[in-house]
Amino acid sequence: LARRDHVHLRFGGLLLMGMDGVRHVLDHSPDVYADPPTKRNGMSHFQPDAVTISRGETWKDRRRFNEAVLSTHQRAHPHAVKFLAAAQEEVGRLEGRSEIAWRDFEDVFERITLRVLFGDGARDDRATSDHLKSLMKEANRRLRGPSPQPSEHLKPFQDAIQGYIDKAEPGSLA
């Protein structure tokens, strides 16, 4: 089945064809485009309250919160200039190199993400990023069902995020 705004792929998933496709999926989630149980089991390991694995009124409340934080009702986020400056600065650190490896791109993306989410002070917080990577790796191994016990990485990851939220650096999503 193909539409002008999105295409259903035979192996599962959708190929979104621009903003109309994105809007269609968001407007019909999670009822039509719900996640498979394997995704829910994996994500519940480290993101048990995620909007993507929520349903009903809980999903609606979490989606409203996410849209408020991301300022989706506005053409550009109020901190867009700061976010763009952080991205330009991080990408600029690659200039002049004769070789750039995939790890360099990963590092740039990680630093941009940390700065946008938590502020410039989080730029080099590899520990929080490493906890998230470990949680995701563990979650991918647990696709058959939820973990019988929480990961050793969950509490330090949550504590780090709470610390950034408590500080709420100006110009960050926190």
Side-chain angles (χ1 to χ4, degrees):
L1 171 67
R3 295 174 39 127
R4 289 182 2 175
D5 55 4
H6 68 278
V7 176
H8 288 268
L9 303 174
R10 184 179 311 175
F11 54 84
L14 294 173
L15 175 61
L16 302 178
M17 311 296 277
M19 290 307 296
D20 289 341
V22 172
R23 178 58 44 206
H24 175 84
V25 170
L26 290 174
D27 287 345
H28 294 86
S29 292
D31 301 323
V32 175
Y33 300 105
D35 51 359
T38 53
K39 178 180 177 184
R40 195 172 314 114
N41 288 338
M43 286 189 67
S44 65
H45 173 67
F46 67 96
Q47 237 183 340
D49 299 324
V51 68
T52 54
I53 59 174
S54 301
R55 298 291 177 270
E57 286 304 311
T58 303
W59 177 83
K60 289 177 184 175
D61 288 343
R62 290 175 178 163
R63 177 158 174 207
R64 276 192 292 271
F65 173 80
N66 286 351
E67 288 181 348
V69 170
L70 297 173
S71 299
T72 59
H73 62 285
Q74 297 180 12
R75 182 162 168 77
H77 192 277
H79 303 311
V81 171
K82 182 153 176 50
F83 297 163
L84 181 59
Q88 289 172 328
E89 183 180 319
E90 296 301 337
V91 170
R93 293 174 190 265
L94 296 176
E95 287 182 34
R97 293 190 183 187
S98 58
E99 289 185 17
I100 299 173
W102 183 251
R103 181 66 201 159
D104 297 319
F105 286 108
E106 288 177 327
D107 288 344
V108 164
F109 183 77
E110 188 174 293
R111 288 191 303 269
I112 293 168
T113 300
L114 287 166
R115 291 176 69 179
V116 167
L117 291 175
F118 307 123
D120 293 339
R123 178 189 186 273
D124 295 315
D125 186 357
R126 296 210 59 114
T128 298
S129 295
D130 289 346
H131 283 303
L132 177 58
K133 288 174 193 170
S134 295
L135 287 163
M136 291 174 70
K137 187 184 242 182
E138 290 171 3
N140 286 335
R141 283 191 231 129
R142 293 187 171 106
L143 294 178
R144 290 186 187 89
S147 172
Q149 59 188 2
S151 168
E152 66 185 55
H153 299 281
L154 184 58
K155 182 154 177 30
F157 178 67
Q158 291 174 328
D159 289 347
I161 290 173
Q162 188 61 56
Y164 286 120
I165 291 171
D166 292 344
K167 291 179 195 170
E169 189 174 313
S172 71
L173 291 179

